Coordinates of all heavy atoms in Angstrom, one line a residue:
Chain C
W107 N -2.8 13.5 2.9 CA -1.5 14.0 2.5 C -0.5 13.0 2.4 O -0.4 12.2 3.4 CB -1.0 15.2 3.4 CG 0.2 15.9 2.9 CD1 0.2 16.9 1.9 CD2 1.5 15.6 3.2 NE1 1.5 17.3 1.7 CE2 2.3 16.6 2.5 CE3 2.2 14.8 4.0 CZ2 3.7 16.6 2.5 CZ3 3.6 14.7 4.1 CH2 4.3 15.7 3.4
A109 N 3.8 12.1 1.3 CA 5.1 12.7 0.9 C 5.5 12.4 -0.5 O 6.3 13.1 -1.2 CB 6.2 12.3 1.8
W110 N 4.9 11.3 -1.1 CA 5.2 11.0 -2.4 C 3.9 10.8 -3.3 O 3.8 10.1 -4.2 CB 5.9 9.7 -2.5 CG 7.3 9.9 -1.9 CD1 7.8 9.3 -0.8 CD2 8.3 10.7 -2.5 NE1 9.1 9.9 -0.6 CE2 9.4 10.7 -1.5 CE3 8.5 11.6 -3.6 CZ2 10.6 11.4 -1.8 CZ3 9.5 12.3 -3.8 CH2 10.6 12.2 -2.9
S112 N 2.7 13.1 -5.3 CA 3.0 13.6 -6.6 C 4.5 13.8 -6.7 O 5.0 14.9 -6.7 CB 2.3 14.9 -6.8 OG 2.5 15.5 -8.0
P113 N 5.2 12.7 -7.0 CA 6.7 12.7 -6.8 C 7.3 13.7 -7.7 O 8.3 14.4 -7.3 CB 7.0 11.3 -7.3 CG 5.8 10.5 -7.2 CD 4.7 11.4 -7.4
G114 N 6.8 14.0 -8.9 CA 7.4 14.9 -9.8 C 7.6 16.3 -9.2 O 8.7 16.7 -9.1
Y115 N 6.5 16.9 -8.7 CA 6.6 18.2 -8.1 C 7.4 18.1 -6.8 O 8.1 19.0 -6.5 CB 5.2 18.7 -7.9 CG 4.5 19.2 -9.1 CD1 3.3 18.5 -9.6 CD2 4.9 20.3 -9.8 CE1 2.7 19.0 -10.8 CE2 4.2 20.8 -10.9 CZ 3.2 20.1 -11.4 OH 2.5 20.6 -12.5
Q116 N 7.0 17.1 -6.0 CA 7.6 17.1 -4.7 C 9.1 16.9 -4.7 O 9.8 17.4 -3.8 CB 6.9 16.0 -3.9 CG 5.4 16.4 -3.5 CD 4.7 15.3 -2.7 OE1 4.6 14.2 -3.1 NE2 4.3 15.7 -1.5
F117 N 9.5 16.1 -5.7 CA 11.0 15.9 -5.8 C 11.7 17.3 -6.0 O 12.7 17.6 -5.4 CB 11.3 15.0 -6.9 CG 12.8 14.8 -7.2 CD1 13.6 14.1 -6.3 CD2 13.4 15.4 -8.3 CE1 14.9 14.0 -6.5 CE2 14.7 15.3 -8.5 CZ 15.5 14.6 -7.7
F118 N 11.1 18.1 -6.9 CA 11.7 19.4 -7.2 C 11.6 20.3 -6.0 O 12.4 21.1 -5.7 CB 11.0 20.1 -8.4 CG 11.6 19.6 -9.7 CD1 10.8 18.7 -10.5 CD2 12.8 19.9 -10.1 CE1 11.4 18.2 -11.7 CE2 13.4 19.5 -11.3 CZ 12.7 18.6 -12.1
G119 N 10.5 20.1 -5.2 CA 10.3 20.9 -4.0 C 11.5 20.6 -3.0 O 12.1 21.5 -2.5
L120 N 11.7 19.3 -2.8 CA 12.9 18.9 -1.9 C 14.2 19.4 -2.4 O 15.0 20.0 -1.7 CB 12.9 17.4 -1.8 CG 11.9 16.7 -0.8 CD1 12.1 15.3 -0.8 CD2 11.9 17.4 0.6
L121 N 14.3 19.2 -3.8 CA 15.5 19.7 -4.4 C 15.8 21.2 -4.1 O 16.9 21.7 -3.7 CB 15.4 19.4 -5.9 CG 16.8 19.3 -6.7 CD1 17.4 18.0 -6.2 CD2 16.5 19.2 -8.1
G122 N 14.7 21.9 -4.4 CA 14.7 23.4 -4.1 C 15.1 23.8 -2.7 O 15.9 24.6 -2.4
L123 N 14.5 23.0 -1.8 CA 14.6 23.2 -0.4 C 16.1 23.1 0.0 O 16.8 23.9 0.6 CB 13.8 22.2 0.4 CG 13.3 22.6 1.7 CD1 12.5 24.0 1.6 CD2 12.4 21.6 2.3
G124 N 16.8 21.9 -0.5 CA 18.2 21.7 -0.3 C 19.0 22.8 -0.9 O 20.0 23.3 -0.3
T125 N 18.7 23.2 -2.1 CA 19.4 24.2 -2.8 C 19.5 25.5 -2.1 O 20.5 26.1 -1.9 CB 18.8 24.5 -4.3 OG1 18.5 23.2 -4.8 CG2 19.8 25.2 -5.1
S126 N 18.3 25.9 -1.5 CA 18.2 27.2 -0.9 C 19.1 27.1 0.4 O 19.8 28.1 0.7 CB 16.8 27.5 -0.5 OG 16.3 26.6 0.5
V127 N 19.1 26.0 1.1 CA 20.0 26.0 2.3 C 21.4 26.0 1.9 O 22.2 26.8 2.4 CB 19.7 24.6 3.0 CG1 20.7 24.4 4.1 CG2 18.3 24.6 3.6
L128 N 21.8 25.2 0.8 CA 23.1 25.2 0.3 C 23.6 26.6 -0.1 O 24.6 27.0 0.3 CB 23.2 24.2 -0.8 CG 24.6 23.7 -1.2 CD1 25.0 22.7 -0.1 CD2 24.5 23.0 -2.5
L129 N 22.7 27.2 -0.9 CA 23.1 28.5 -1.4 C 23.3 29.5 -0.2 O 24.2 30.3 -0.3 CB 21.9 29.1 -2.3 CG 21.8 28.5 -3.7 CD1 20.6 29.1 -4.4 CD2 23.1 28.9 -4.5
V138 N 17.2 37.0 1.7 CA 15.9 37.0 1.1 C 15.8 36.0 0.0 O 14.7 35.3 -0.1 CB 15.6 38.5 0.6 CG1 14.2 38.6 0.0 CG2 15.8 39.5 1.7
T139 N 16.7 36.0 -0.9 CA 16.6 35.1 -2.0 C 16.5 33.7 -1.5 O 15.6 32.9 -2.0 CB 17.8 35.3 -3.0 OG1 18.1 36.6 -3.1 CG2 17.6 34.6 -4.3
A140 N 17.4 33.3 -0.6 CA 17.4 32.0 -0.1 C 16.0 31.6 0.6 O 15.4 30.6 0.4 CB 18.5 31.7 0.9
L141 N 15.5 32.6 1.4 CA 14.2 32.4 2.0 C 13.1 32.2 1.0 O 12.3 31.3 1.1 CB 14.0 33.6 2.9 CG 12.9 33.4 4.0 CD1 13.4 32.4 5.0 CD2 12.6 34.7 4.7
A142 N 13.2 33.0 -0.1 CA 12.1 33.0 -1.1 C 12.1 31.6 -1.8 O 11.1 30.9 -1.9 CB 12.3 34.1 -2.1
I143 N 13.3 31.2 -2.2 CA 13.4 29.9 -2.9 C 13.0 28.8 -1.8 O 12.2 27.9 -2.2 CB 14.9 29.6 -3.3 CG1 15.3 30.7 -4.3 CG2 15.0 28.2 -3.8 CD1 16.7 30.5 -4.8
G144 N 13.4 29.0 -0.6 CA 13.0 28.0 0.4 C 11.4 27.9 0.6 O 10.9 26.7 0.5
I145 N 10.8 29.0 0.7 CA 9.3 29.0 0.9 C 8.7 28.4 -0.4 O 7.8 27.6 -0.2 CB 8.8 30.4 1.1 CG1 9.4 30.9 2.5 CG2 7.3 30.4 1.1 CD1 9.0 32.3 2.9
A146 N 9.1 28.9 -1.5 CA 8.5 28.3 -2.7 C 8.7 26.8 -2.9 O 7.7 26.1 -3.2 CB 9.1 29.0 -4.0
S147 N 9.9 26.3 -2.5 CA 10.2 24.9 -2.6 C 9.3 24.1 -1.6 O 8.8 23.0 -1.8 CB 11.6 24.7 -2.3 OG 12.4 25.4 -3.2
L148 N 9.2 24.8 -0.4 CA 8.4 24.1 0.7 C 7.0 23.9 0.2 O 6.3 22.9 0.3 CB 8.4 24.9 2.0 CG 7.9 24.2 3.2 CD1 8.9 23.1 3.6 CD2 7.8 25.2 4.4
L149 N 6.4 25.0 -0.4 CA 5.0 24.9 -0.9 C 5.0 23.9 -2.0 O 4.0 23.1 -2.1 CB 4.6 26.2 -1.5 CG 4.3 27.4 -0.4 CD1 4.0 28.7 -1.1 CD2 3.3 26.9 0.5
L150 N 6.0 23.8 -2.8 CA 6.0 22.8 -3.9 C 6.0 21.4 -3.4 O 5.6 20.5 -4.0 CB 7.2 23.1 -4.8 CG 7.2 22.5 -6.2 CD1 6.0 23.0 -7.0 CD2 8.5 22.8 -7.0
F151 N 6.6 21.3 -2.2 CA 6.7 19.9 -1.6 C 5.4 19.6 -0.9 O 4.9 18.5 -1.0 CB 7.9 19.9 -0.6 CG 8.0 18.6 0.2 CD1 8.2 17.4 -0.5 CD2 7.7 18.6 1.5 CE1 8.3 16.3 0.1 CE2 7.8 17.4 2.2 CZ 8.0 16.2 1.5
V152 N 4.8 20.6 -0.2 CA 3.7 20.4 0.7 C 2.4 20.2 -0.2 O 1.6 19.3 -0.1 CB 3.5 21.4 1.7 CG1 2.2 21.2 2.5 CG2 4.7 21.4 2.7
L153 N 2.1 21.3 -1.0 CA 0.8 21.3 -1.7 C 0.5 20.1 -2.6 O -0.5 19.6 -2.6 CB 0.8 22.7 -2.5 CG 0.6 23.9 -1.7 CD1 0.5 25.1 -2.6 CD2 -0.5 23.8 -0.7
P154 N 1.5 19.7 -3.5 CA 1.1 18.5 -4.3 C 1.0 17.3 -3.6 O 0.4 16.3 -4.1 CB 2.3 18.4 -5.3 CG 3.0 19.7 -5.3 CD 2.8 20.2 -3.8
G155 N 1.3 17.3 -2.3 CA 1.1 16.1 -1.4 C -0.3 15.8 -1.1 O -0.6 14.7 -0.8
I177 N 1.6 26.9 -13.4 CA 3.0 26.8 -12.9 C 4.0 26.2 -13.9 O 5.1 26.7 -14.1 CB 3.0 26.0 -11.6 CG1 2.2 26.6 -10.5 CG2 4.4 25.7 -11.2 CD1 2.1 25.9 -9.1
I325 N 7.8 36.0 -13.4 CA 6.9 35.1 -12.7 C 5.5 35.8 -12.6 O 4.5 35.3 -12.9 CB 7.4 34.6 -11.3 CG1 8.6 33.7 -11.5 CG2 6.3 33.9 -10.6 CD1 9.2 33.2 -10.3
F381 N 4.6 37.3 -4.5 CA 5.7 37.7 -5.4 C 5.9 39.2 -5.4 O 7.1 39.6 -5.6 CB 5.5 37.1 -6.7 CG 5.7 35.7 -6.9 CD1 4.7 34.7 -7.0 CD2 7.0 35.2 -6.8 CE1 5.0 33.4 -7.1 CE2 7.3 33.8 -6.8 CZ 6.3 32.9 -7.0
L384 N 8.0 40.1 -2.5 CA 9.4 39.6 -2.8 C 10.1 40.7 -3.7 O 11.2 41.0 -3.6 CB 9.3 38.3 -3.5 CG 10.7 37.6 -3.7 CD1 11.4 37.3 -2.5 CD2 10.4 36.3 -4.5

Side-chain angles (χ1 to χ4, degrees):
Chain C
W107 189 85
W110 292 113
S112 176
Y115 285 110
Q116 286 181 302
F117 175 72
F118 279 107
L120 281 181
L121 206 67
L123 216 53
T125 317
S126 67
V127 171
L128 200 71
L129 282 177
V138 183
T139 318
L141 199 66
I143 297 178
I145 292 175
S147 308
L148 193 67
L149 288 177
L150 198 60
F151 175 65
V152 172
L153 290 182
I177 294 175
I325 290 176
F381 281 110
L384 183 65

